Amino acid sequence: MKCVIIEDEMPAQRVLHNYISKLTDFNIVGSYQTALEANKVLQTQDIDILFLDINLSDISGIQYVKTLSNPPKIIITTAYHEHAVESFELDTICDYLVKPFSFERFLKAVNKIKRDEFKTTKNGLAEEQHEVVFLNIDKTLHKIAINDILYIESDKNYISIKTLKTTFT
């Protein structure tokens, strides 16, 4: 799963890096101290999980989430418990971690997202909830959910695939 960290405190960023590095199926795409620094990545790449602090220097984490047209799943990481109710009013907020949090609590939050991504079939095996297609573009493999594709366009030897977040050529 592709992750982005938006955290203005370097010690908290290091804790998140440490915890995420213990998970073999997670990849940190970037770590940022402000939401505006992370904005381009969130607008152009398919990010699965955003670890987001609330008190940022440029815009509050909650206000930033409200600006995203197609946000990823979000785990709030903050020192302030008083924003929890407001956070959970946003559909994309999956969990709320109050600093300092243990690896066990972090893992519980991540597993909640992973559990939501999978459904159980009749025989008890897990399978992905959405059909996906993988595209190799400039030697980079991109995972695109079929439901996210708006249209596909042909132009001679090229095709463009327009999704909810970006266009792939």
Side-chain angles (χ1 to χ4, degrees):
M1 297 186 100
K2 292 166 113 180
C3 308
V4 167
I5 300 169
I6 303 177
E7 170 62 64
D8 60 346
E9 297 174 9
M10 292 311 292
Q13 254 192 39
R14 283 192 293 276
V15 167
L16 285 167
H17 270 272
N18 180 33
Y19 287 176
I20 295 168
S21 70
K22 294 178 181 183
L23 307 174
T24 57
D25 53 343
F26 282 69
N27 177 33
I28 300 171
V29 173
S31 294
Y32 306 93
Q33 290 186 309
T34 69
L36 295 179
E37 291 173 346
N39 197 48
K40 183 176 182 181
V41 171
L42 289 167
Q43 297 298 324
T44 60
Q45 293 191 36
D46 289 327
I47 303 300
D48 300 303
I49 301 177
L50 172 60
F51 294 94
L52 179 65
D53 190 10
I54 289 181
N55 288 337
L56 300 168
S57 61
D58 53 355
I59 185 173
S60 85
I62 293 172
Q63 293 303 317
Y64 179 66
V65 169
K66 292 176 182 179
T67 70
L68 296 173
S69 59
N70 192 22
K73 299 291 185 186
I74 299 169
I75 296 176
I76 297 291
T77 60
T78 184
Y80 304 96
H81 60 83
E82 58 267 13
H83 301 289
V85 173
E86 181 182 5
S87 294
F88 281 115
E89 289 177 355
L90 302 171
D91 292 336
T92 59
I93 306 296
C94 298
D95 213 330
Y96 193 95
L97 302 178
V98 179
K99 299 174 199 169
F101 48 87
S102 66
F103 179 71
E104 179 183 359
R105 180 64 183 92
F106 167 83
L107 191 57
K108 183 178 179 181
V110 168
N111 284 337
K112 184 188 300 185
I113 290 176
K114 288 174 77 173
R115 185 176 57 245
D116 290 346
E117 291 293 314
F118 291 91
K119 66 178 181 181
T120 304
T121 62
K122 291 179 184 176
N123 62 6
L125 299 174
E127 67 181 15
E128 285 197 344
Q129 207 168 11
H130 303 286
E131 292 186 52
V132 296
V133 62
F134 290 90
L135 298 177
N136 187 349
I137 301 170
D138 295 327
K139 299 181 183 178
T140 302
L141 202 58
H142 297 272
K143 177 181 173 183
I144 303 171
I146 299 293
N147 292 340
D148 289 346
I149 296 175
L150 300 174
Y151 62 87
I152 300 173
E153 183 176 62
S154 173
D155 184 20
K156 295 185 183 178
N157 292 337
Y158 297 93
I159 64 166
S160 295
I161 299 175
K162 176 68 175 164
T163 66
L164 296 170
K165 293 183 182 179
T166 189
T167 301
F168 298 95
T169 303

